[in-house]
């Protein structure tokens, strides 16, 4: 999973192709719990490019996207938001897969 490096990169990615953005932070325990399952999820859903967004580095982006809890996921396809799985609750592997399959 690549890491977001700038607001401009977010805008470019969001508007070009199919991407799932994962909002997370180093200190987030629930984020660490799902970390080991993410490579398998990325491999299973190769139609999407997965991008990690560090909540602490991009707090303004979180506010703009109404992401007030982490870990959270937002999916885009060529600028159109396909769906979001945004909450402060811990996510299971099945919940994440169900979210992606519902897009």
């Amino acid at each position: 999973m690549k890491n977001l490096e700038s607001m401009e990169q977010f805008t470019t990615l969001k508007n070009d192709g199919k991407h799932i953005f994962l909002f997370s932070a180093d200190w987030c325990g629930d984020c660490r719990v799902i970390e080991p399952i993410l490579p398998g999820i990325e491999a299973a859903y190769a139609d999407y490019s997965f991008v990690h967004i560090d909540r602490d580095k991009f707090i303004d982006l979180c506010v703009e996207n109404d992401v007030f809890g982490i870990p959270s996921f937002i999916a885009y396809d060529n600028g159109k938001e396909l769906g979001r799985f945004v909450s402060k609750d811990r996510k299971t592997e099945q919940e994440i897969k169900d979210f992606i399959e519902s897009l």
Side-chain angles (χ1 to χ4, degrees), residues 5 16-17 21-23 25 27 30 46 50 52 59 63-64 101:
E5 296 176 17
D16 186 20
F21 297 95
L22 165 60
F23 293 81
W27 51 263
D30 291 340
F50 288 75
H52 174 266
I59 192 71
V63 171
E64 285 175 27
E101 289 172 13

Side-chain angles (χ1 to χ4, degrees), residues 37-97:
I37 63 169
L38 292 174
I41 290 173
E42 282 185 88
Y45 300 97
D47 290 355
Y48 293 93
S49 171
F50 288 75
V51 181
H52 174 266
I53 299 176
D54 185 318
R55 172 231 179 259
D56 294 334
K57 291 181 183 172
F58 294 99
I59 192 71
D60 292 341
L61 186 59
C62 292
V63 171
E64 285 175 27
N65 285 279
D66 296 323
V67 174
F68 298 107
I70 54 174
S72 288
F73 298 84
I74 301 179
Y76 284 94
D77 183 2
N78 293 315
K80 179 179 185 263
E81 184 177 316
L82 298 177
R84 54 178 50 222
F85 188 13
V86 175
S87 72
K88 64 179 175 45
D89 300 326
R90 178 175 285 181
K91 278 90 173 148
T92 66
E93 180 174 7
Q94 191 58 53
E95 287 173 330
I96 296 167
K97 288 179 176 180

